[in-house]
Amino acid sequence: MTSRDIVARYDAVTRAAVESALRKAVRGQGIAAIALAAVWGLVTLLPLVAAAVAGQASATLVLVFGALLLVPLAIGVFGVRQLRRRPRIPEMAVAITPTSVHFSALERSSGVAGRVPAEEWAREGTTAEIRPASGLLPTAAIVFTRHDGRTRRRRTVSAEHLDIDPRTIVDVLGGPPSA
């Protein structure tokens, strides 16, 4: 990278606080999934146990309830995987070079949602704007937009936790790229 490059990093203190909050959310999701699996498993087993005590349990009934136990088992496995996850926030939010804009990969707090991959966009044709905080977005954000033919791509970066002024990023992308 040259001296004309801009690298926007997340503030270290804020990054640590967000990672801590993410770990708590992931842990809560894992515990809730395990609790749901246990309750669902008990509710599924109770009719089978009642039928066995009454002498009404047939092979078909056992097979059906055995198949129904696969759902709480899958939820329990998801819960254990959530408890093992350690989401991290990347150090770099965005890097702007004379020819491209680089975004870091992001992990999401939910194990169901996939990871947001790292991307590199051509600088030409990429715009940025600052969106102020609103009811749904508790912090201001920088929204990067790129039109590739008919496809519009967007990427959002929190503006309040960067080590540089977000207006600098918007100004740099608003002007012509320097070679």
Side-chain angles (χ1 to χ4, degrees):
M1 295 196 165
T2 65
S3 61
R4 294 182 181 210
D5 297 340
I6 294 178
V7 178
R9 290 178 169 72
Y10 290 112
D11 178 57
V13 174
T14 305
R15 202 171 103 229
V18 169
E19 284 178 355
S20 175
L22 280 175
R23 282 189 208 106
K24 287 178 185 176
V26 166
R27 181 172 164 77
Q29 289 172 357
I31 291 170
I34 291 171
L36 175 64
V39 170
W40 193 333
L42 287 174
V43 168
T44 303
L45 277 177
L46 285 177
L48 181 61
V49 171
V53 169
Q56 302 289 328
S58 66
T60 306
L61 186 65
V62 171
L63 185 63
V64 167
F65 279 101
L68 287 175
L69 284 173
L70 292 177
V71 173
L73 179 67
I75 294 172
V77 168
F78 169 76
V80 169
R81 291 183 81 194
Q82 276 294 94
L83 287 176
R84 291 181 179 168
R85 290 185 72 232
R86 298 286 178 247
R88 304 218 12 106
I89 303 295
E91 184 179 327
M92 181 192 76
V94 64
I96 302 171
T97 67
T99 59
S100 62
V101 180
H102 302 270
F103 299 99
S104 297
L106 295 173
E107 293 183 48
R108 294 185 182 159
S109 60
S110 173
V112 178
R115 180 182 171 138
V116 179
E119 291 183 293
E120 181 177 344
W121 295 357
R123 181 172 170 173
E124 187 176 323
T126 300
T127 59
E129 67 175 305
I130 298 174
R131 292 252 170 95
S134 67
L136 295 176
L137 295 171
T139 62
I142 303 171
V143 179
F144 296 89
T145 307
R146 175 155 181 76
H147 293 279
D148 291 329
R150 291 185 174 172
T151 306
R152 185 171 82 179
R153 298 164 56 185
R154 285 191 153 181
R155 191 81 184 241
T156 305
V157 173
S158 175
E160 292 185 9
H161 308 299
L162 298 178
D163 63 349
I164 64 171
D165 187 8
R167 293 178 295 211
T168 305
I169 295 171
V170 173
D171 291 343
V172 164
L173 286 177
S178 56

